Amino acid sequence: MMRLAAFVAVALAAEELPRYATTKSPNQPPSISYSGPKVAVDEGERFDLNIDVSDADVDEDYAGQLDVVCAGGRLDVSSKAGLRFRDAADGVAFRGPQAFVRKALQPLVYTAPSKGRGGDATIRCTVDDLGYSGVGGPRNATVA
C-alpha cells in the first residue's frame, strides 16, 4: 500500500508541472539592448535610459521570471508593480515576469552624482532567464 501512495504522489506532482516546462528544445537566451546615444549628463541631472528586454521562450500567460541587475550609479525604475527587489551595491536588482520587467525599464532613470562627485559612469544591465524553459539551464545577456 505504501508503494501505491508514493506512486500516486509522484504522478500528481508530475501533472502539476507548469505547461512551459520542456525537455526537448534548448533554452533560448534573453536579449537586452539600449539604442540611445552615449550622453554627457550634468551633475545632479536625470537621464532616461530606455532599456529593452525580451526572451523568446517567455509566453505572456505563464509565471516565468526574468532576473535583472543594473549597476553604475543611482538608478530608478519607472514601475515597481509585480517585481521583487533585492539589495544592489551600486544600482538596482529585481525579478519578475517579462511584461513587468519591460515596463520597469521603460525608462530606467539614471541620476548623475551631485556636485563634486562627478566623473565617467558606465551603466551595465544584465538579464537572466533563470532557465525557466528548455534544456541547457539559465541563459543571460548584458548591455553596457
Side-chain angles (χ1 to χ4, degrees):
M1 193 66 154
M2 292 278 246
R3 281 188 176 171
L4 180 58
F7 175 76
V8 170
V10 169
L12 288 175
E15 288 178 7
E16 292 175 5
L17 287 175
R19 68 179 173 78
Y20 55 88
T22 178
T23 58
K24 295 181 181 180
S25 61
N27 181 17
Q28 299 299 311
S31 67
I32 185 167
S33 63
Y34 169 69
S35 58
K38 184 175 181 179
V39 296
V41 181
D42 291 331
E43 293 172 334
E45 186 179 352
R46 296 170 55 97
F47 184 78
D48 291 351
L49 301 166
N50 288 304
I51 309 289
D52 187 39
V53 173
S54 65
D55 187 341
D57 294 328
V58 173
D59 181 328
E60 294 299 331
D61 49 315
Y62 76 70
Q65 305 278 301
L66 293 175
D67 190 70
V68 178
V69 178
C70 293
R74 178 160 173 221
L75 300 165
D76 298 305
V77 296
S78 60
S79 172
K80 294 183 178 183
L83 302 173
R84 290 182 309 174
F85 287 82
R86 62 185 184 282
D87 289 339
D90 184 29
V92 63
F94 56 92
R95 180 178 293 181
Q98 178 171 243
F100 293 109
V101 167
R102 292 183 85 175
K103 186 172 182 178
L105 296 173
Q106 293 289 322
L108 177 68
V109 179
Y110 170 74
T111 303
S114 58
K115 208 164 192 67
R117 301 182 69 197
D120 290 343
T122 300
I123 309 301
R124 178 183 207 81
C125 292
T126 300
V127 61
D128 190 320
D129 69 4
L130 305 169
Y132 271 99
S133 65
V135 295
R139 305 288 299 272
N140 62 59
T142 300
V143 65

